Amino acid sequence: MLRIAVVYPELLGTYGDGGNALVLERRLAWRGMDVEMVEVLLGTPVPEQCDLYVIGGGEDSAQLQALAELRRGTGLQSAIGRGAPVLAVCAGLQILGASLTDREGVVHAGLDLVDATTTRLDRRAVGEVVAVPRAELGLPTLLGFENHAGATRLGPAALPLAAVDQGVGNGDGEPRGEGLVQGSVIATYLHGPVLARNPALADLLLSRACGRTLSDLADPHEAAARAAMQSRLSRGRRRTVSTAPLG
Ligand code: GLN
């Protein structure tokens, strides 16, 4: 029985991020595997012994509240310490880092579980993202939607999850990186939810949680949905290029 913790969904669940847990649960059920979804609600400590942890995005105030709540406990910290797989999205990524800056310019210490610091972008990043994942992950192109004001700089212990082809991603200059990988943590700015848009990423997390390769689900609808989105995005890009001012 695989236990998946969904961390503070009341605070961290913008842009459908709750769907990530649903995707994980479904992909296990379709393979006939038992799963227990553990919703960790506010006021409850994060359990140390789950097999996989999912943390979503959130508004600035909600993410600071979640950070304060997480700081009170040690469950997530211990889980990451023992190498449990974690997916953190947007605000989730930011609070796992060393520090984050709010809109008033106040710097808040993060959980310091990954080597990343978040400051502010000059302009909020909103839109579709296409990014090419690190080769060693063996994942196809990542597709998703970003909406954030944070700019995240990675330190040497964290590697970018992907190279941005379209969109902003971490927003820390060139080359444009998206998200991060550090030990058992995979973090990303992508919503969508990211695991519905990128089922191979869901399977990577699940195979790490199970400690073995999982059977292929080969869903034609899934492949068609991704192909349609990719073609829509490349048409949008061609349009942008053709209407760019000359000179
Ligand atoms: N509040 C954070 C920011 O704007 C995170 C946003 C999010 O999770 N989508 O950068």
Side-chain angles (χ1 to χ4, degrees):
M1 160 85 77
L2 209 75
R3 296 182 76 217
I4 300 180
V6 187
V7 177
Y8 304 142
E10 320 103 297
L11 291 176
L12 300 175
T14 47
Y15 313 117
D17 288 347
N20 287 326
L22 211 59
V23 169
L24 293 167
E25 187 271 325
R26 281 289 87 202
R27 295 186 79 77
L28 287 169
W30 286 336
R31 292 176 167 108
M33 296 166 73
D34 286 333
V35 55
E36 184 192 346
M37 302 306 293
V38 181
E39 279 218 322
V40 186
L41 301 177
L42 273 180
T44 321
V46 176
E48 283 178 28
Q49 292 305 328
C50 287
D51 302 294
L52 175 56
Y53 294 77
V54 189
I55 313 171
E59 305 309 326
D60 292 6
S61 56
Q63 80 186 86
L64 290 178
Q65 199 186 336
L67 174 58
E69 190 86 6
L70 286 166
R71 200 187 289 295
R72 268 196 283 279
T74 55
L76 185 64
Q77 294 83 332
S78 309
I80 292 178
R82 71 176 165 80
V86 174
L87 172 72
V89 178
C90 201
L93 177 161
Q94 296 176 2
I95 63 183
L96 291 187
S99 67
L100 55 144
T101 304
D102 68 21
R103 70 179 70 192
E104 275 79 41
V106 179
V107 180
H108 301 263
L111 294 173
D112 207 10
L113 296 169
V114 295
D115 197 2
T117 42
T118 297
T119 54
R120 305 290 286 187
L121 288 169
D122 295 335
R123 235 163 45 134
R124 196 167 185 86
V126 183
E128 294 294 330
V129 178
V130 178
V132 179
R134 320 187 56 72
E136 65 267 28
L137 296 174
L139 294 171
T141 300
L142 294 176
L143 304 174
F145 171 78
E146 65 183 336
N147 187 342
H148 58 101
T152 299
R153 171 175 295 251
L154 304 187
L159 296 170
L161 168 65
V164 174
D165 183 35
Q166 195 174 329
V168 173
N170 294 344
D172 181 39
E174 298 291 334
R176 286 176 297 161
E178 199 307 293
L180 69 87
V181 179
Q182 185 175 337
S184 61
V185 177
I186 293 183
T188 176
Y189 268 107
L190 302 186
H191 303 280
V194 65
L195 298 185
R197 293 265 198 112
N198 306 279
L201 179 58
D203 284 353
L204 175 68
L205 289 160
L206 289 173
S207 66
R208 287 181 176 180
C210 296
R212 64 182 169 84
T213 311
L214 300 177
S215 57
D216 193 4
L217 289 176
D219 179 349
H221 300 296
E222 178 183 298
R226 278 180 56 84
M229 178 54 87
Q230 270 177 303
S231 110
R232 202 180 99 192
L233 291 175
S234 65
R235 275 204 307 278
R237 188 204 311 255
R238 276 204 297 281
R239 240 195 336 269
T240 311
V241 170
S242 64
T243 56
L246 297 174

